[in-house]
Amino acid sequence: MNEFGGAGAQGTTMDVVVIGAGQAGLSAAFHLRRAGLEPDRDFVVLDHSPRAGGAWQFRWPSLTYGKVHGMYALPGMELTGADPTRPSSEVIGAYFDTYERTFDLRVHRPVDVTAVRDGFRDEDGDGARDGDGGRLLVETSEGVYATRALINATGTWDRPFWPRYQGQETFRGRQLHTSGYPGPEAFAGKRVIVVGGGASGTQHLMEIAEVAAATTWVTRREPVFREGPFGEAEGRAAVALVEERVRLGLPPQSVVSVTGLPLNDAIREARASGVLDRLPMFDRITPTGVAWDDGRTVDADVILWATGFRAAIDHLTPLRLREPGGGIRVEGTRAVRDERVHLVGYGPSASTIGANRAGRAAVTDIRRLLARETAAATV
């Protein structure tokens, strides 16, 4: 760990900074460690959460480990023998904590990253990089890091998406997002509208329907329920569709938006009972509920927005990585506009198994970058 004086502030130099210690960030840290890089000397992992567990630590208590869809083991250490009746936040939080200690990843937390800037300086006007040029400056609540490469693994949990509809501010009931879902008990005896056709929306709806006075399910698109097996070939095809948007510089969509919802016994029962009878998206919100332009209305005490999340990448804004379409164009995991920046857990690598693969791929690419820079410096 070396001190530097750059951009008007004292800070620390690193070969690699990893932002985020969820599935993707820990995978990347594992592969950095295996490549021979030392935590707090060659790389550092920064995480703004209060404890280990990534976004899993914030999941609602009723999401038990047995209900988790798609949890995939971190590289080098399986998760075995977990009690399926325990909350997933506890099971996976403990697993991540053990993983960090087992591989001595030395995650710094809680640390907020406020901005990442290009350290390029041309003080003598010759167009060459001076001083900290060639490094990225990562501004954080514990100081500034100057790094040769960045692995951004910040996920989406910190950016819940709230759609805006006419009259939303007039609603006299309660509005909340999946990110603040407290479990079904809070909705006992209430009339509840659940908005969103993803996995979280259907899980919330089926739980709430058991205790609520009434439930209504509203989605923008007709939900697609997937019958039959979903193997490796189907998974690759789904990921390829998400990847194509990222290659074009468009904001990524979730993998579930192209895979559909897997049918299981609970969903079949909910469809048969009418709980999963979907209505098209309403046109406006009223003080007492929602309304459609055809005259239909539904009264409600609560609107639950299960409308997903967006990539938490605002701290990268100073690097100007976004394309006109609004997303960051990525090849593999590398940002096309800056080869020093890798995004893991973004777009096609947002699934847990994809995050593992992306962490390994990012480290492989970064090792080549570091070797090339070292070779150039010795010429």
Side-chain angles (χ1 to χ4, degrees):
M1 187 158 36
N2 299 311
E3 299 300 318
F4 78 95
Q10 288 297 117
T12 306
T13 60
M14 288 286 168
D15 285 335
V16 187
V17 170
V18 180
I19 306 177
Q23 182 101 16
L26 293 183
S27 173
F30 170 86
H31 289 290
L32 287 168
R33 200 85 159 91
R34 196 167 71 168
L37 279 72
E38 179 76 16
D40 289 335
R41 185 195 69 188
D42 306 310
F43 76 93
V44 65
V45 183
L46 310 175
D47 187 40
H48 86 128
S49 297
R51 56 191 176 274
W56 291 101
Q57 67 191 272
F58 305 114
R59 305 294 190 192
W60 47 98
S62 57
L63 182 64
T64 57
Y65 183 63
K67 296 179 182 177
V68 167
H69 171 67
M71 175 57 201
Y72 193 79
L74 287 159
M77 193 176 87
E78 294 287 331
L79 170 55
T80 59
D83 181 351
T85 66
R86 285 183 64 200
S88 60
S89 58
E90 295 179 8
V91 172
I92 299 174
Y95 170 52
F96 279 22
D97 180 64
T98 300
Y99 188 88
E100 290 179 14
R101 288 186 285 106
T102 298
F103 295 105
D104 191 24
L105 300 179
R106 306 178 207 171
V107 177
H108 293 214
R109 63 166 58 90
V111 176
D112 293 322
V113 175
T114 53
V116 182
R117 306 182 190 278
D118 193 341
F120 172 79
R121 294 186 298 160
D122 182 17
E123 295 179 343
D124 54 13
D126 64 358
R129 294 184 182 273
D130 302 314
D132 303 318
R135 291 187 181 266
L136 297 164
L137 303 181
V138 183
E139 300 174 1
T140 84
S141 57
E142 68 174 14
V144 179
Y145 288 92
T147 182
R148 298 165 70 188
L150 176 78
I151 297 177
N152 191 82
T154 47
T156 63
W157 186 260
D158 294 318
R159 282 201 63 199
F161 175 62
W162 291 74
R164 303 302 303 170
Y165 280 87
Q166 178 185 346
Q168 196 162 0
E169 69 285 352
T170 70
F171 182 60
R172 293 198 291 263
R174 180 186 182 191
Q175 297 186 62
L176 71 160
H177 189 272
T178 289
S179 59
Y181 178 68
E185 296 80 9
F187 304 92
K190 306 290 187 182
R191 299 164 298 173
V192 183
I193 295 172
V194 177
V195 183
S200 294
T202 55
Q203 288 173 9
H204 296 339
L205 184 62
M206 290 188 293
E207 288 186 346
I208 292 169
E210 296 182 2
V211 299
T215 58
T216 303
W217 188 29
V218 179
T219 70
R220 281 196 306 125
R221 292 185 292 270
E222 187 75 39
V224 176
F225 293 95
R226 186 184 73 240
E227 290 270 17
F230 189 79
E232 189 174 340
E234 292 84 359
R236 282 198 302 266
V239 168
L241 291 173
V242 179
E243 192 170 24
E244 181 60 24
R245 287 182 59 87
V246 174
R247 283 202 193 100
L248 295 173
L250 299 172
Q253 291 178 320
S254 66
V255 174
V256 75
S257 69
V258 294
T259 63
L261 294 164
L263 270 175
N264 55 35
D265 290 342
I267 286 182
R268 289 189 180 92
E269 183 179 332
R271 295 180 77 186
S273 68
V275 170
L276 288 180
D277 283 346
R278 167 258 183 191
L279 293 178
M281 198 65 207
F282 48 75
D283 296 295
R284 60 191 176 279
I285 299 174
T286 70
T288 58
V290 299
W292 288 259
D293 286 344
D294 63 7
R296 177 170 40 186
T297 63
V298 170
D299 289 339
D301 304 299
V302 182
I303 300 174
L304 173 58
W305 297 93
T307 44
F309 300 80
R310 299 292 183 264
I313 53 176
D314 286 351
H315 54 286
L316 301 180
T317 299
L319 298 178
R320 300 179 182 177
L321 301 177
R322 291 188 187 270
E323 300 293 331
I328 297 177
R329 191 154 59 98
V330 173
E331 290 184 357
T333 62
R334 176 176 52 81
V336 170
R337 289 180 179 262
D338 194 324
E339 66 175 349
R340 299 168 295 177
V341 179
H342 287 255
L343 286 86
V344 297
Y346 177 83
S349 65
S351 65
T352 52
I353 187 169
N356 280 4
R357 292 171 176 168
R360 180 175 64 245
V363 171
T364 299
D365 209 355
I366 286 171
R367 289 180 67 191
R368 294 193 192 103
L369 171 68
L370 299 181
R372 190 170 70 243
E373 288 186 351
T374 300
T378 60
V379 173

Coordinates of all heavy atoms in Angstrom, one line a residue, residues 227-298:
E227 N -43.0 -23.4 -19.0 CA -43.2 -24.8 -18.7 C -41.9 -25.6 -19.1 O -41.1 -25.2 -19.9 CB -44.3 -25.4 -19.5 CG -45.7 -24.9 -19.1 CD -46.3 -25.8 -18.1 OE1 -45.6 -26.6 -17.4 OE2 -47.5 -25.7 -17.8
G228 N -41.7 -26.8 -18.4 CA -40.6 -27.6 -18.8 C -39.3 -27.3 -18.3 O -39.1 -26.3 -17.5
P229 N -38.2 -28.0 -18.6 CA -36.9 -27.8 -18.0 C -36.3 -26.6 -18.6 O -36.6 -26.1 -19.7 CB -36.1 -29.1 -18.5 CG -36.8 -29.6 -19.7 CD -38.3 -29.2 -19.5
F230 N -35.3 -26.0 -17.8 CA -34.6 -24.9 -18.3 C -33.1 -25.2 -18.1 O -32.5 -25.0 -17.1 CB -35.0 -23.6 -17.5 CG -34.4 -22.3 -18.0 CD1 -35.0 -21.7 -19.1 CD2 -33.3 -21.8 -17.4 CE1 -34.5 -20.5 -19.6 CE2 -32.7 -20.6 -17.9 CZ -33.4 -19.9 -19.0
G231 N -32.5 -25.7 -19.2 CA -31.2 -26.2 -19.1 C -30.1 -25.2 -19.5 O -30.4 -24.0 -19.7
E232 N -28.9 -25.7 -19.7 CA -27.8 -24.8 -20.1 C -28.0 -24.1 -21.4 O -27.7 -22.9 -21.5 CB -26.5 -25.6 -20.1 CG -25.2 -24.8 -20.2 CD -24.0 -25.6 -20.1 OE1 -24.0 -26.7 -19.6 OE2 -22.9 -25.1 -20.6
A233 N -28.5 -24.8 -22.4 CA -28.7 -24.2 -23.7 C -29.8 -23.0 -23.6 O -29.5 -22.0 -24.2 CB -29.2 -25.2 -24.7
E234 N -30.9 -23.3 -22.9 CA -31.9 -22.2 -22.7 C -31.3 -21.0 -21.9 O -31.6 -19.9 -22.2 CB -33.1 -22.8 -22.0 CG -33.9 -23.8 -22.7 CD -33.4 -25.2 -22.6 OE1 -32.3 -25.4 -22.0 OE2 -34.0 -26.1 -23.2
G235 N -30.4 -21.3 -20.9 CA -29.8 -20.3 -20.2 C -28.9 -19.4 -21.0 O -28.9 -18.2 -20.9
R236 N -28.1 -20.1 -21.9 CA -27.2 -19.3 -22.7 C -28.0 -18.4 -23.7 O -27.6 -17.3 -24.0 CB -26.3 -20.3 -23.5 CG -25.2 -20.8 -22.7 CD -24.1 -21.4 -23.7 NE -24.6 -22.4 -24.5 CZ -24.6 -23.8 -24.3 NH1 -24.1 -24.2 -23.1 NH2 -25.1 -24.6 -25.1
A237 N -29.1 -18.9 -24.2 CA -29.9 -18.2 -25.2 C -30.5 -16.9 -24.5 O -30.5 -15.8 -25.1 CB -31.0 -19.0 -25.7
A238 N -30.9 -17.1 -23.2 CA -31.5 -16.0 -22.5 C -30.5 -14.9 -22.2 O -30.7 -13.7 -22.4 CB -32.2 -16.5 -21.2
V239 N -29.3 -15.4 -21.7 CA -28.2 -14.4 -21.4 C -27.8 -13.7 -22.7 O -27.5 -12.5 -22.7 CB -27.0 -15.2 -20.8 CG1 -25.8 -14.3 -20.7 CG2 -27.4 -15.6 -19.4
A240 N -27.8 -14.4 -23.8 CA -27.4 -13.7 -25.1 C -28.3 -12.6 -25.5 O -27.8 -11.5 -26.0 CB -27.3 -14.8 -26.2
L241 N -29.6 -12.7 -25.2 CA -30.5 -11.6 -25.5 C -30.2 -10.4 -24.6 O -30.3 -9.3 -25.1 CB -31.9 -12.1 -25.2 CG -32.5 -13.1 -26.2 CD1 -33.9 -13.6 -25.8 CD2 -32.5 -12.5 -27.6
V242 N -29.9 -10.6 -23.3 CA -29.6 -9.5 -22.4 C -28.2 -8.9 -22.9 O -28.0 -7.7 -22.9 CB -29.5 -10.0 -21.0 CG1 -29.1 -8.8 -20.0 CG2 -30.8 -10.6 -20.5
E243 N -27.3 -9.7 -23.2 CA -26.0 -9.3 -23.6 C -26.0 -8.4 -24.9 O -25.2 -7.5 -25.0 CB -25.1 -10.5 -23.9 CG -23.6 -10.2 -24.0 CD -22.8 -11.5 -24.0 OE1 -23.3 -12.5 -24.4 OE2 -21.6 -11.4 -23.7
E244 N -26.9 -8.7 -25.8 CA -27.0 -7.9 -27.0 C -27.4 -6.5 -26.7 O -26.8 -5.6 -27.3 CB -28.1 -8.6 -27.9 CG -28.3 -7.8 -29.3 CD -27.0 -7.8 -30.1 OE1 -26.1 -8.7 -29.9 OE2 -26.9 -6.9 -31.0
R245 N -28.2 -6.2 -25.7 CA -28.6 -4.9 -25.3 C -27.3 -4.1 -24.8 O -27.1 -3.0 -25.1 CB -29.7 -4.9 -24.3 CG -31.0 -5.2 -24.8 CD -32.1 -5.1 -23.7 NE -32.2 -3.8 -23.1 CZ -32.9 -2.8 -23.5 NH1 -33.6 -3.0 -24.6 NH2 -32.9 -1.6 -22.9
V246 N -26.6 -4.8 -24.0 CA -25.4 -4.2 -23.4 C -24.3 -3.9 -24.5 O -23.7 -2.8 -24.5 CB -24.7 -5.2 -22.3 CG1 -23.4 -4.6 -21.8 CG2 -25.7 -5.3 -21.2
R247 N -24.2 -4.8 -25.5 CA -23.3 -4.5 -26.6 C -23.7 -3.3 -27.4 O -22.9 -2.5 -27.9 CB -23.3 -5.7 -27.6 CG -22.5 -6.9 -27.1 CD -22.0 -7.7 -28.2 NE -21.5 -9.0 -27.8 CZ -22.3 -10.2 -27.8 NH1 -23.5 -10.1 -28.3 NH2 -21.7 -11.3 -27.4
L248 N -25.0 -3.0 -27.4 CA -25.5 -1.8 -28.2 C -25.5 -0.6 -27.3 O -25.9 0.5 -27.8 CB -26.9 -2.1 -28.6 CG -27.1 -3.3 -29.7 CD1 -28.6 -3.6 -29.9 CD2 -26.4 -2.9 -31.0
G249 N -25.1 -0.7 -26.1 CA -25.1 0.5 -25.2 C -26.4 0.9 -24.6 O -26.6 2.0 -24.2
L250 N -27.3 -0.1 -24.6 CA -28.7 0.2 -24.0 C -28.7 -0.3 -22.5 O -27.9 -1.2 -22.2 CB -29.7 -0.6 -24.8 CG -29.9 -0.2 -26.3 CD1 -30.8 -1.2 -27.0 CD2 -30.3 1.2 -26.4
P251 N -29.5 0.3 -21.7 CA -29.6 -0.1 -20.3 C -30.0 -1.6 -20.3 O -30.9 -2.1 -21.0 CB -30.7 0.7 -19.7 CG -30.8 1.9 -20.6 CD -30.4 1.4 -22.0
P252 N -29.3 -2.4 -19.4 CA -29.6 -3.8 -19.4 C -31.0 -4.2 -18.9 O -31.5 -3.4 -18.0 CB -28.5 -4.4 -18.5 CG -28.1 -3.3 -17.7 CD -28.3 -2.0 -18.5
Q253 N -31.6 -5.2 -19.4 CA -32.8 -5.8 -18.8 C -32.4 -7.0 -17.9 O -31.3 -7.5 -18.0 CB -33.7 -6.2 -19.9 CG -34.3 -5.1 -20.7 CD -35.2 -5.6 -21.8 OE1 -34.9 -6.6 -22.5 NE2 -36.3 -4.9 -22.0
S254 N -33.3 -7.4 -17.0 CA -33.1 -8.5 -16.2 C -33.2 -9.8 -17.0 O -33.8 -9.8 -18.1 CB -34.1 -8.6 -15.1 OG -35.4 -8.8 -15.6
V255 N -32.5 -10.8 -16.6 CA -32.5 -12.1 -17.3 C -33.9 -12.7 -17.2 O -34.4 -13.3 -18.2 CB -31.5 -13.1 -16.6 CG1 -31.6 -14.5 -17.2 CG2 -30.1 -12.6 -16.8
V256 N -34.7 -12.5 -16.1 CA -36.0 -13.0 -16.0 C -37.0 -12.4 -17.1 O -38.0 -13.0 -17.4 CB -36.6 -12.9 -14.6 CG1 -37.0 -11.4 -14.3 CG2 -37.8 -13.8 -14.4
S257 N -36.6 -11.2 -17.5 CA -37.5 -10.6 -18.5 C -37.5 -11.3 -19.9 O -38.4 -11.2 -20.7 CB -37.1 -9.1 -18.8 OG -35.8 -9.1 -19.4
V258 N -36.5 -12.1 -20.1 CA -36.4 -12.9 -21.3 C -36.6 -14.4 -21.1 O -36.8 -15.2 -22.0 CB -35.1 -12.7 -22.1 CG1 -35.0 -11.3 -22.6 CG2 -33.9 -13.0 -21.2
T259 N -36.5 -14.9 -19.8 CA -36.7 -16.3 -19.5 C -38.1 -16.6 -19.2 O -38.5 -17.8 -19.3 CB -35.8 -16.7 -18.3 OG1 -36.2 -16.0 -17.2 CG2 -34.3 -16.5 -18.6
G260 N -38.9 -15.7 -18.7 CA -40.2 -16.0 -18.1 C -40.1 -16.5 -16.7 O -39.0 -16.7 -16.2
L261 N -41.3 -16.8 -16.2 CA -41.4 -17.2 -14.8 C -41.6 -18.8 -14.8 O -42.5 -19.3 -15.4 CB -42.6 -16.6 -14.1 CG -42.5 -15.1 -13.9 CD1 -43.8 -14.5 -13.5 CD2 -41.5 -14.8 -12.7
P262 N -40.7 -19.5 -14.0 CA -40.8 -20.9 -14.0 C -42.1 -21.4 -13.3 O -42.4 -20.9 -12.2 CB -39.6 -21.4 -13.3 CG -39.2 -20.2 -12.4 CD -39.6 -19.0 -13.2
L263 N -42.8 -22.3 -13.9 CA -44.0 -22.8 -13.2 C -43.7 -23.8 -12.2 O -42.9 -24.7 -12.4 CB -44.9 -23.5 -14.3 CG -46.0 -22.6 -14.9 CD1 -46.7 -23.3 -16.0 CD2 -47.0 -22.1 -13.9
N264 N -44.2 -23.7 -11.0 CA -44.1 -24.7 -9.9 C -45.5 -24.9 -9.3 O -46.5 -24.3 -9.7 CB -43.1 -24.3 -8.9 CG -43.4 -22.9 -8.3 OD1 -44.6 -22.6 -8.1 ND2 -42.4 -22.1 -7.9
D265 N -45.6 -25.8 -8.4 CA -46.9 -26.2 -7.8 C -47.5 -25.0 -7.2 O -48.8 -24.8 -7.3 CB -46.7 -27.3 -6.8 CG -46.3 -28.6 -7.4 OD1 -46.5 -28.7 -8.7 OD2 -45.9 -29.5 -6.7
A266 N -46.8 -24.1 -6.5 CA -47.4 -23.0 -5.8 C -47.9 -22.0 -6.8 O -49.0 -21.4 -6.6 CB -46.3 -22.3 -4.9
I267 N -47.3 -21.8 -7.9 CA -47.8 -20.8 -8.9 C -49.0 -21.4 -9.6 O -50.0 -20.7 -9.9 CB -46.6 -20.5 -9.9 CG1 -45.7 -19.5 -9.2 CG2 -47.2 -19.9 -11.2 CD1 -44.5 -19.0 -10.1
R268 N -49.0 -22.7 -9.9 CA -50.1 -23.4 -10.5 C -51.4 -23.2 -9.6 O -52.5 -22.9 -10.1 CB -49.8 -24.8 -10.8 CG -48.9 -25.1 -11.9 CD -48.8 -26.6 -12.2 NE -47.8 -26.8 -13.3 CZ -46.5 -27.1 -13.1 NH1 -46.1 -27.2 -11.9 NH2 -45.7 -27.3 -14.2
E269 N -51.2 -23.4 -8.3 CA -52.3 -23.3 -7.4 C -52.8 -21.8 -7.3 O -54.0 -21.6 -7.3 CB -51.8 -23.7 -6.0 CG -52.9 -23.7 -4.9 CD -52.4 -24.2 -3.6 OE1 -51.5 -25.0 -3.5 OE2 -53.0 -23.7 -2.6
A270 N -51.9 -20.9 -7.3 CA -52.3 -19.5 -7.3 C -53.0 -19.0 -8.6 O -53.9 -18.2 -8.5 CB -51.0 -18.6 -7.1
R271 N -52.6 -19.6 -9.7 CA -53.3 -19.3 -10.9 C -54.7 -19.9 -10.9 O -55.7 -19.3 -11.3 CB -52.5 -19.8 -12.1 CG -51.2 -19.1 -12.3 CD -50.5 -19.7 -13.5 NE -51.0 -19.2 -14.8 CZ -50.7 -19.6 -16.0 NH1 -49.7 -20.5 -16.1 NH2 -51.2 -19.0 -17.1
A272 N -54.8 -21.1 -10.4 CA -56.1 -21.8 -10.4 C -57.1 -21.1 -9.4 O -58.3 -21.0 -9.7 CB -55.9 -23.2 -9.9
S273 N -56.5 -20.5 -8.3 CA -57.4 -19.9 -7.3 C -57.7 -18.4 -7.7 O -58.6 -17.8 -7.0 CB -56.7 -19.9 -6.0 OG -55.5 -19.0 -6.0
G274 N -57.1 -17.9 -8.7 CA -57.4 -16.5 -9.1 C -56.4 -15.5 -8.6 O -56.5 -14.3 -8.9
V275 N -55.5 -15.9 -7.7 CA -54.6 -14.9 -7.1 C -53.7 -14.3 -8.2 O -53.4 -13.1 -8.2 CB -53.7 -15.6 -6.0 CG1 -52.6 -14.7 -5.6 CG2 -54.6 -15.9 -4.8
L276 N -53.3 -15.1 -9.2 CA -52.4 -14.6 -10.2 C -53.2 -14.3 -11.5 O -52.7 -14.4 -12.6 CB -51.4 -15.7 -10.5 CG -50.3 -15.8 -9.5 CD1 -49.3 -16.9 -9.9 CD2 -49.6 -14.5 -9.2
D277 N -54.5 -13.8 -11.3 CA -55.2 -13.2 -12.4 C -54.7 -11.8 -12.6 O -54.9 -10.9 -11.8 CB -56.7 -13.2 -12.2 CG -57.3 -14.6 -12.3 OD1 -56.6 -15.5 -12.9 OD2 -58.4 -14.8 -11.9
R278 N -54.1 -11.5 -13.7 CA -53.4 -10.3 -14.0 C -54.3 -9.2 -14.7 O -55.1 -9.6 -15.6 CB -52.1 -10.5 -14.8 CG -51.5 -9.3 -15.4 CD -51.8 -9.1 -16.8 NE -51.1 -8.0 -17.4 CZ -51.3 -7.5 -18.6 NH1 -52.3 -8.0 -19.4 NH2 -50.7 -6.5 -19.1
L279 N -54.2 -8.0 -14.3 CA -54.9 -6.9 -14.9 C -53.8 -6.0 -15.7 O -52.7 -6.0 -15.2 CB -55.6 -6.0 -14.0 CG -56.8 -6.6 -13.2 CD1 -57.4 -5.6 -12.3 CD2 -57.9 -7.0 -14.2
P280 N -54.2 -5.4 -16.8 CA -53.2 -4.5 -17.5 C -52.9 -3.3 -16.6 O -53.7 -3.0 -15.7 CB -53.9 -4.1 -18.7 CG -55.4 -4.3 -18.4 CD -55.5 -5.5 -17.5
M281 N -51.8 -2.6 -16.9 CA -51.4 -1.5 -16.1 C -52.5 -0.4 -16.1 O -53.1 0.0 -17.1 CB -50.1 -0.9 -16.7 CG -49.3 0.0 -15.8 SD -48.7 -1.0 -14.4 CE -48.6 0.3 -13.1
F282 N -52.7 0.1 -14.9 CA -53.7 1.2 -14.7 C -53.2 2.5 -15.4 O -52.0 2.6 -15.7 CB -54.0 1.4 -13.3 CG -52.8 1.5 -12.4 CD1 -52.0 2.7 -12.3 CD2 -52.5 0.5 -11.5 CE1 -50.9 2.7 -11.5 CE2 -51.4 0.5 -10.7 CZ -50.6 1.7 -10.7
D283 N -54.0 3.4 -15.6 CA -53.7 4.7 -16.2 C -53.4 5.8 -15.3 O -52.6 6.8 -15.6 CB -54.8 5.1 -17.2 CG -55.0 4.1 -18.3 OD1 -54.1 4.0 -19.1 OD2 -56.1 3.5 -18.4
R284 N -53.9 5.7 -14.1 CA -53.7 6.8 -13.1 C -54.0 6.3 -11.7 O -54.6 5.2 -11.5 CB -54.5 8.0 -13.4 CG -56.0 7.8 -13.3 CD -56.8 9.0 -13.9 NE -58.2 8.7 -14.0 CZ -58.8 8.0 -14.9 NH1 -58.1 7.5 -15.9 NH2 -60.1 7.8 -14.9
I285 N -53.4 7.0 -10.7 CA -53.7 6.7 -9.3 C -54.6 7.7 -8.7 O -54.4 8.9 -9.0 CB -52.3 6.6 -8.6 CG1 -51.4 5.6 -9.2 CG2 -52.5 6.4 -7.1 CD1 -50.0 5.5 -8.6
T286 N -55.5 7.3 -7.9 CA -56.5 8.2 -7.3 C -56.2 8.2 -5.8 O -55.4 7.4 -5.3 CB -57.9 7.7 -7.6 OG1 -58.2 6.5 -6.8 CG2 -58.2 7.5 -9.0
P287 N -56.9 9.1 -5.1 CA -56.7 9.1 -3.6 C -57.0 7.8 -2.9 O -56.5 7.5 -1.9 CB -57.6 10.3 -3.1 CG -57.6 11.2 -4.3 CD -57.6 10.3 -5.5
T288 N -57.9 7.1 -3.5 CA -58.4 5.8 -2.9 C -58.0 4.5 -3.6 O -58.4 3.5 -3.2 CB -60.0 5.8 -2.8 OG1 -60.5 6.0 -4.1 CG2 -60.4 7.0 -1.9
G289 N -57.2 4.7 -4.7 CA -56.8 3.5 -5.4 C -56.3 3.8 -6.8 O -55.5 4.7 -6.9
V290 N -56.7 3.0 -7.8 CA -56.2 3.2 -9.1 C -57.4 3.1 -10.1 O -58.4 2.6 -9.8 CB -55.2 2.1 -9.5 CG1 -53.9 2.2 -8.6 CG2 -55.8 0.7 -9.5
A291 N -57.1 3.7 -11.3 CA -58.2 3.8 -12.3 C -57.7 3.6 -13.7 O -56.5 3.9 -14.0 CB -58.9 5.1 -12.2
W292 N -58.5 3.0 -14.6 CA -58.2 2.8 -16.0 C -59.1 3.8 -16.8 O -60.2 4.2 -16.4 CB -58.5 1.4 -16.4 CG -57.5 0.4 -15.9 CD1 -56.5 -0.2 -16.5 CD2 -57.5 -0.2 -14.5 NE1 -55.8 -1.1 -15.7 CE2 -56.4 -1.1 -14.5 CE3 -58.3 -0.1 -13.4 CZ2 -56.1 -1.9 -13.4 CZ3 -58.0 -0.8 -12.3 CH2 -56.9 -1.7 -12.3
D293 N -58.6 4.1 -18.0 CA -59.4 5.0 -18.9 C -60.7 4.4 -19.3 O -61.6 5.1 -19.8 CB -58.5 5.4 -20.1 CG -57.4 6.3 -19.7 OD1 -57.5 6.9 -18.6 OD2 -56.5 6.5 -20.5
D294 N -60.9 3.1 -19.2 CA -62.1 2.5 -19.6 C -63.2 2.6 -18.5 O -64.3 2.0 -18.7 CB -61.9 1.0 -20.1 CG -61.4 0.1 -18.9 OD1 -61.4 0.6 -17.8 OD2 -61.1 -1.0 -19.2
G295 N -62.9 3.2 -17.4 CA -63.8 3.4 -16.3 C -63.7 2.5 -15.2 O -64.3 2.7 -14.1
R296 N -62.9 1.5 -15.3 CA -62.7 0.5 -14.2 C -61.8 1.1 -13.1 O -60.9 1.9 -13.4 CB -62.0 -0.7 -14.8 CG -61.6 -1.8 -13.7 CD -61.2 -3.1 -14.3 NE -60.3 -2.9 -15.5 CZ -59.9 -3.9 -16.3 NH1 -60.3 -5.1 -16.0 NH2 -59.1 -3.6 -17.3
T297 N -62.1 0.8 -11.9 CA -61.4 1.3 -10.7 C -61.2 0.2 -9.7 O -62.0 -0.8 -9.7 CB -62.1 2.5 -10.0 OG1 -63.4 2.0 -9.5 CG2 -62.3 3.6 -10.9
V298 N -60.1 0.3 -8.9 CA -59.9 -0.6 -7.8 C -59.5 0.2 -6.6 O -58.6 1.0 -6.7 CB -58.8 -1.7 -8.2 CG1 -58.4 -2.4 -6.9 CG2 -59.2 -2.6 -9.3

